Amino acid sequence: MRVAVLGAGAIGAYVGASLHRAGAEVHLIARGPHLEALRRNGVQVLSPRGDFSVRPHATDDPTEVGPVDHIFLGLKANSYAAAGSMIRPLLHEKTTIIAAQNGIPWWYFHGLAGAHEDHCIQSVDPGGAVTEALSLHRAIGCVVYAATELEAPGVVRHLEGTRFSIGEPDGSLSERCREFSDAMVAGGLKCPVESDLRPEIWIKLMGNIAFNPISALTRATLAGMCRHRDVRELVTTMMRETLEVAAGLGCHPDIAIERRMAGAERTGEHKTSTLQDLEKGKPLELDVLLAAVVELADLAGVAAPTLRTINALADLLNQQIEDAASGAPSVAAAPAS
């Protein structure tokens, strides 16, 4: 089995290293000092389950790889639309695209019978640009429960979790899902194939939709947000509104809000990926986490006032980051009328 990992950062390199260890032909596509380290020393995984190192092929040029059976996408969702030129050299007729993303995926309504079948979510897939780059018929959903970080170029610190739930958008239990799942399990990971992945998407999203933007607005860790009484109540409200949106679309995740909150609190003084991006001056990946759910609230006829308020604040913060990166005058610096 040939697998390309496009965006072989912390999660991507961890998956690629695990698959390579199990005998798959793996190609890591990365860039910068991380790529140089991968070429020089391979992937070094530091894990409470046991350290290991492997040396899969690493490159920044997908044309060196050629067509593969599966593409594991470790890119940020806000870069999907621009990934077409990197994806095309990796495709053959049956190549799948397994996107390890948080939030609402571009394929959410694909194959979902009902009033919204094949509806395009503009916050996630503006003008269909993501669908053009990542064809819907190739998509396999993936919900990631593993936590990793790049400790140094080429060095992945695995913190916890080994589960990567996957599933077809139409709910079928396909051979291509079983093939990828078997390879992941052989590499020491958990990879259940779900007949309906959407409840898991919403369960994972319940935490991301609240903790990620609030952490960027306050610079607080997960435990810090949970300790603050009023912020804890704010998070609870955002989670409740998220479940209302899901229900309005016919999805009913089986999870208690306090259980989801307790899971976040156990993580401790951890900075969300959104806060880490903020500290690096990178654009915030909030369209798929928050803006998309506000858009879906409109579709479902759900008020979601708290989600809308936090979305407005987070959007302004993100606009300031983008303005600073481009050198444009910040909207916040505009003179009062």
Side-chain angles (χ1 to χ4, degrees):
M1 190 177 78
R2 303 189 83 232
V3 180
V5 178
L6 180 56
I11 282 290
Y14 177 59
V15 168
S18 299
L19 289 170
H20 180 86
R21 184 169 62 162
E25 181 186 330
V26 174
H27 303 268
L28 304 179
I29 301 173
R31 61 184 181 182
H34 182 50
L35 173 59
E36 294 173 12
L38 292 174
R39 283 171 165 167
R40 186 171 57 250
N41 301 315
V43 184
Q44 300 176 63
V45 176
L46 309 178
S47 171
R49 304 174 72 242
D51 301 346
F52 68 96
S53 61
V54 293
R55 298 182 63 90
H57 174 237
T59 181
D60 58 358
D61 183 3
T63 62
E64 285 185 12
V65 178
V68 298
D69 302 309
H70 303 282
I71 300 169
F72 186 85
L73 205 58
L75 301 171
K76 291 283 190 180
N78 53 14
S79 62
Y80 284 1
S85 61
M86 298 288 282
I87 291 282
R88 281 190 290 274
L90 302 172
L91 300 177
H92 60 55
E93 183 181 350
K94 295 183 178 180
T95 302
T96 73
I97 298 173
I98 302 160
Q101 71 162 95
N102 289 321
I104 302 296
W106 82 101
W107 55 261
Y108 187 87
F109 289 111
H110 177 58
L112 183 63
H116 307 304
E117 185 171 5
D118 294 330
H119 175 80
C120 179
I121 307 169
Q122 291 298 317
S123 301
V124 173
D125 189 8
V130 175
T131 294
E132 184 176 350
L134 311 176
S135 300
L136 288 169
H137 75 278
R138 299 184 183 277
I140 291 176
C142 180
V143 179
V144 177
Y145 295 95
T148 59
E149 61 185 20
L150 277 181
E151 188 159 293
V155 181
V156 176
R157 172 72 66 177
H158 172 228
L159 303 172
E160 62 177 357
T162 61
R163 182 177 168 189
F164 295 76
S165 296
I166 64 172
E168 294 282 0
D170 67 1
S172 61
L173 300 175
S174 66
E175 178 59 34
R176 64 186 193 173
C177 277
R178 283 192 289 267
E179 177 187 66
F180 187 77
S181 172
D182 288 347
M184 293 279 277
V185 171
L189 305 177
K190 297 177 182 177
C191 190
V193 179
E194 303 292 348
S195 59
D196 186 2
L197 198 62
R198 290 174 182 85
E200 290 200 37
I201 289 171
W202 286 103
I203 289 171
K204 180 81 183 287
L205 179 59
M206 283 172 65
N208 292 139
I209 200 172
F211 290 120
N212 286 52
I214 293 173
S215 70
L217 291 165
T218 64
R219 311 308 200 264
T221 63
L222 283 172
M225 288 181 277
C226 290
R227 281 194 302 267
H228 192 282
R229 184 187 62 186
D230 292 339
V231 171
R232 189 183 185 97
E233 181 58 34
L234 174 61
V235 169
T236 298
T237 301
M238 293 177 72
M239 288 184 176
R240 186 181 303 115
E241 291 182 5
T242 300
L243 289 176
E244 290 172 1
V245 176
L249 296 171
C251 188
H252 302 276
D254 184 17
I255 185 74
I257 288 175
E258 270 308 311
R259 180 181 167 193
R260 190 67 182 86
M261 185 79 74
E265 196 165 14
R266 283 195 302 271
T267 306
E269 305 301 334
H270 173 71
K271 295 181 179 181
T272 69
S273 59
T274 303
L275 176 54
Q276 292 177 48
D277 285 344
L278 175 71
E279 292 177 340
K280 296 172 184 174
K282 294 181 178 180
L284 309 182
E285 188 189 24
L286 291 176
D287 285 346
V288 297
L289 297 180
L290 182 53
V293 178
V294 170
E295 183 180 340
L296 292 177
D298 290 336
L299 190 66
V302 175
T306 310
L307 294 180
R308 296 176 192 277
T309 300
I310 299 299
N311 182 53
L313 296 173
D315 185 62
L316 176 58
L317 175 60
N318 198 36
Q319 190 172 339
Q320 290 176 304
I321 294 169
E322 292 177 346
D323 288 345
S326 67
S330 170
V331 293
S337 58

